[in-house]
Amino acid sequence: MTLLDGSDSPPDGDGSVQVALDPDDKIQGAKVFAVYGKGGIGKSTTSSNLSAAFSKLGHRVLQIGCDPKHDSTFTLTKKMMPTVIDVLETVDFHSEELRVEDFMFEGYNGVMCVEAGGPPAGTGCGGYVVGQTVKLLKQHHLLEDTDVVIFDVLGDVVCGGFAAPLQHADSAVVVAANDFDSIFAMNRIVAAINAKAKNYNVRLAGVVANRSAETDEIDRFSDAIGMRRLAHFKDLDAIRRSRLKKCTLFEMEDSPEVEQARQEYMNLARTLWNGVDPVAAKPMKDRDIFEFLGFE
């Protein structure tokens, strides 16, 4: 990964200095999805259950957690895994000394799990961490036997560093609830995806409504900017308890609500695997969102 100074290609946005993708690190062969959304909205739960659903369809899945909390994959693996940055530090960043089992772990139904981690607080760049993770996976030829890669990305931070997974992804999915804060975050994420789409292959797939009894505000906003709703997951206690039990929704006790949610994840996985036409959403100005949603 190198810093983009504007001399090689146009910047992603006005005044931007972004982390740029080394062409040699491009992920080839697999379908790559990046999952974004407001912090605490349920991205990791969505990503893990989506990974499980892809695996249920017979696909070889790799989930990469891109959050310093490194808890993206613990419902798949049943415990917190060491991060790529942690294990690189133990060998003084000599990646050739690492074994695959040092940083990649098998989770539920064969889903392979990697936690990229993050730089120390207030220092470094999340884009560097993502770049080192992808480079390590390629060095060990771990992407060659993968059908689906899911990046689960830190909160609603869309700086150049944490927007780096968009440089690898084919499609970006936004997770949002039916409330102002997550819709506001979604609007900013849409802007970031549009900026990356100028120089990379990533395109916006749509929004997943999560933890919401209704979707009226999400749908109204999506219609206004040209967004698409891909799925709807209600605020089920079983989903909350699945995190406490360190398991996916597919391992919870059967009930009509749980089965309905499982089928929604399976349908979402099928939809994404089959491919969706990219949406050309046009984000609103911040002031316009306040006026549109009617919050004071």
Side-chain angles (χ1 to χ4, degrees):
M1 306 288 281
T2 57
L3 284 178
L4 181 65
D5 62 7
S7 58
D8 297 324
S9 61
D12 296 337
D14 293 339
S16 67
V17 178
Q18 303 280 6
V19 176
L21 173 64
D22 184 335
D24 292 336
D25 292 340
K26 181 176 176 59
I27 298 175
Q28 297 177 327
K31 296 188 178 185
V32 186
F33 304 97
V35 180
Y36 282 83
K38 174 183 173 292
I41 203 60
K43 290 179 306 301
S44 293
T45 300
T46 300
S47 297
S48 295
N49 283 306
L50 182 58
S51 289
F54 273 122
S55 75
K56 291 280 190 181
L57 294 176
H59 302 305
R60 300 164 298 180
V61 185
L62 167 64
Q63 182 168 319
I64 303 175
C66 304
D67 190 324
K69 289 203 314 294
H70 62 96
D71 64 345
S72 171
T73 61
F74 89 98
T75 57
L76 292 164
T77 61
K78 317 309 178 196
K79 57 185 177 181
M80 301 284 277
M81 297 292 108
T83 72
V84 167
I85 292 301
D86 288 340
V87 296
L88 278 172
E89 192 173 23
T90 64
V91 294
D92 199 25
F93 290 86
H94 294 293
S95 59
E96 68 278 1
E97 297 182 21
L98 292 181
R99 303 165 300 169
V100 172
E101 56 266 32
D102 292 330
F103 58 88
M104 176 177 277
F105 306 91
E106 185 172 346
Y108 171 73
N109 206 38
V111 175
M112 302 309 297
C113 303
V114 174
E115 292 286 353
T123 64
C125 177
Y128 168 80
V129 175
V130 172
Q132 289 300 305
T133 298
V134 173
K135 185 173 294 186
L136 192 61
L137 292 170
K138 295 203 72 169
Q139 286 174 351
H140 287 269
H141 305 286
L142 297 174
L143 295 172
E144 296 171 5
D145 296 323
T146 302
D147 300 318
V148 175
V149 177
I150 294 179
F151 285 97
D152 174 22
V153 191
L154 172 79
D156 51 350
V157 179
V158 288
C159 70
F162 286 109
L166 295 173
Q167 301 177 12
H168 295 281
D170 303 304
S171 299
V173 176
V174 184
V175 180
N178 200 47
D179 61 51
F180 175 80
D181 287 345
S182 59
I183 292 174
F184 185 89
M186 175 172 70
N187 190 68
R188 286 177 52 81
I189 293 164
V190 168
I193 294 166
N194 287 349
K196 284 295 180 185
K198 294 176 182 178
N199 292 323
Y200 298 96
N201 292 328
V202 65
R203 295 296 182 265
L204 182 61
V207 59
V208 170
N210 194 46
R211 294 181 179 174
S212 300
E214 306 295 337
T215 63
D216 55 323
E217 294 299 332
I218 288 178
D219 292 341
R220 193 165 69 90
F221 181 77
S222 295
D223 289 343
I225 70 169
M227 192 67 155
R228 171 200 296 121
R229 176 160 58 82
L230 297 167
H232 174 206
F233 299 100
K234 296 183 178 180
D235 191 9
L236 298 181
D237 188 58
I239 296 178
R240 180 189 64 82
R241 286 188 289 109
S242 71
R243 295 250 339 148
L244 297 176
K245 290 178 176 290
K246 302 182 180 68
C247 70
T248 68
L249 194 62
F250 293 89
E251 301 163 86
M252 294 293 287
E253 291 184 16
D254 293 338
S255 73
E257 286 186 329
V258 167
E259 180 57 27
Q260 184 180 21
R262 288 172 183 160
Q263 288 305 312
E264 187 77 346
Y265 273 112
M266 295 297 292
N267 291 337
L268 176 59
R270 290 189 189 95
T271 296
L272 293 174
W273 177 261
N274 291 332
V276 296
D277 293 331
V279 294
K282 296 181 179 180
M284 291 185 182
K285 298 291 186 182
D286 291 351
R287 183 185 301 275
D288 295 336
I289 298 179
F290 279 85
E291 293 179 358
F292 181 82
L293 293 178
F295 287 82
E296 296 181 357

